[in-house]
Amino acid sequence: MTDRDGIRIELGSILRQLEENGFDGVQVEFAPDGGGGAATVVDVARQGFWAANEVANEAAPDSVWGSGLAATLAGVSVLVDGLASEEALVTWLEAFGGELRAGGLSGELRAATGVRLPDWVKQLADPMVTAYVALSAPGGAGAAGWAERAARWAAGAGGDAYVAGGGMSQLDTTGDVAAHLASALHVASSGDLLHADAQASRAAFVQVCRYGRATYQFHDASASPEARADRARAAILAEAEHAHYALVAPTRYPAYLWDDRARALPPLRPEVPGFALRTKAHLWDRFVPDVHCMQLLADEHLAKVSDLSRWTVTPVAPGRTLVEAPDLAEWLRTGGPAPSVLDRARADFGRVLVSADDLR
């Protein structure tokens, strides 16, 4: 290890990981003294790796490139690839370290220790009831506590906790899962959390993007569809005060973006492409893309609905109402609800269903 005025470079670990990766890039972690995750660390590191790119490639053009800042449990990491030589890597590391030091930081540069998510989780085939939640103020007070609420919800699955962001997944045994999830979201465009208990075949997934579109999923091989729906409802209720819209649909795979709703059941109306749930986000504070077994609606939604006399309607927060189908089992069964059930539900919701003209 070399020490450059408070920035310690563990070159050996970086070279070993580089070799293990087949010399196809390496995740370099900066672990600041006193702990990571602070906004200052992120800002200095983000500016620092771009400056290091310029210094290293001025010395030897097209020799090395750093990109993709991600949060780690101990600090932040940068993917360093395009390496032409060990000398280019050392030049980059020393330049990056110099930028960190100039920003008033001290700590260690070393290989980041990411992990693969459990294979059994990635191969799940049983339907998972998914809650899609739109936070009303991603930059406001509600979003400030999102990580804590999400971590509490996901912990209900038990097992091990994995936090991910910016392509870096880590097993979190620190007890500070919420803080690390918040850091992942701050550093990258999204933050992911998985709780997985292999012995119980139970897992909970949470993913949120910086713009407030979140997904919550729960898998339990021994639970009934209704019990899994209870977990989706719990996710919505935890966010009801801060969200302006939410929907629930069963999926057969981990869903990370709202676009994935296009592959869930029941199928979206033909005029509503899946990507519209993301690209037309401004519409969902007054329209809904389709009917669902469970939806969180704002007062402006309710003003357009035709008839909810058959639905379970529950005020859950100021200006927010949870609307549930009269027979959740029908909606959550394999293959989705019968066409007649779907047609009647769409008639009940009426003008609140987004139109093709609204989507243009």
Side-chain angles (χ1 to χ4, degrees):
M1 179 184 292
T2 58
D3 191 328
R4 297 285 192 272
D5 297 327
I7 300 295
R8 304 175 298 281
I9 302 176
E10 181 51 72
L11 182 60
S13 70
I14 297 171
L15 292 175
R16 283 192 295 274
Q17 188 183 99
L18 182 61
E19 184 176 2
E20 291 172 2
N21 294 344
F23 298 93
D24 189 26
V26 59
Q27 287 280 355
V28 174
E29 179 179 50
F30 172 59
D33 294 335
T40 299
V41 173
V42 173
D43 292 343
V44 171
R46 181 173 282 119
Q47 296 174 12
F49 81 76
W50 284 111
N53 288 345
E54 294 182 4
V55 170
N57 286 286
E58 183 176 337
D62 301 320
S63 62
V64 61
W65 193 256
S67 63
L69 193 70
T72 68
L73 303 185
V76 294
S77 73
V78 179
L79 174 62
V80 182
D81 58 7
L83 292 164
S85 65
E86 181 178 327
E87 290 75 15
L89 174 61
V90 171
T91 300
W92 188 94
L93 289 169
E94 291 186 344
F96 185 41
E99 293 294 325
L100 296 171
R101 185 171 53 252
L105 301 176
S106 65
E108 184 174 303
L109 285 172
R110 62 197 184 195
T113 54
V115 299
R116 290 171 53 89
L117 298 181
D119 288 337
W120 72 270
V121 170
K122 293 184 287 185
Q123 296 167 2
L124 287 175
D126 294 335
M128 291 176 281
V129 179
T130 305
Y132 299 78
V133 181
L135 299 180
S136 57
W146 174 84
E148 289 79 4
R149 298 189 299 274
R152 283 196 298 271
W153 178 87
D160 297 322
Y162 300 84
V163 178
M168 169 68 69
S169 296
Q170 293 194 294
L171 176 64
D172 194 338
T173 60
T174 66
D176 293 326
V177 172
H180 293 139
L181 183 59
S183 182
L185 180 59
H186 174 69
V187 174
S189 60
S190 65
D192 303 336
L193 171 61
L194 164 68
H195 264 271
D197 184 338
Q199 186 172 359
S201 188
R202 188 167 54 238
F205 307 81
V206 183
Q207 187 258 11
V208 72
C209 75
R210 186 171 293 171
Y211 301 104
R213 297 293 176 267
T215 59
Y216 299 74
Q217 291 184 283
F218 191 79
H219 166 82
D220 186 341
S222 64
S224 66
E226 291 80 7
R228 284 178 283 206
D230 288 344
R231 293 295 297 154
R233 184 186 298 106
I236 292 175
L237 293 179
E239 298 297 338
E241 183 180 350
H242 312 287
H244 63 82
Y245 178 56
L247 60 94
V248 170
T251 63
R252 289 187 174 273
Y253 47 83
Y256 294 103
L257 295 172
W258 277 43
D259 302 46
D260 287 339
R261 168 61 187 88
R263 295 183 288 169
L265 294 174
L268 284 169
R269 293 180 298 142
E271 58 265 45
V272 184
F275 65 80
L277 275 75
R278 170 177 46 87
T279 60
K280 302 293 184 178
H282 63 284
L283 293 174
W284 311 134
D285 59 354
R286 60 188 189 278
F287 294 105
V288 302
D290 207 342
V291 291
H292 295 88
C293 63
M294 196 182 302
Q295 298 192 94
L296 179 74
L297 303 181
D299 289 345
E300 193 166 357
H301 295 120
L302 291 175
K304 296 183 177 70
V305 174
S306 297
D307 180 11
L308 291 180
S309 60
R310 298 184 312 108
W311 296 72
T312 300
V313 179
T314 309
V316 293
R320 301 293 183 266
T321 299
L322 186 65
V323 177
E324 301 181 65
D327 186 358
L328 287 177
E330 168 69 18
W331 287 76
L332 298 176
R333 69 183 179 89
T334 301
S340 60
V341 172
L342 201 56
D343 290 343
R344 174 66 185 273
R346 286 170 175 162
D348 288 346
F349 273 70
R351 293 186 300 110
V352 76
L353 297 177
V354 73
S355 70
D357 288 340
D358 294 322
L359 291 171
R360 289 195 179 96

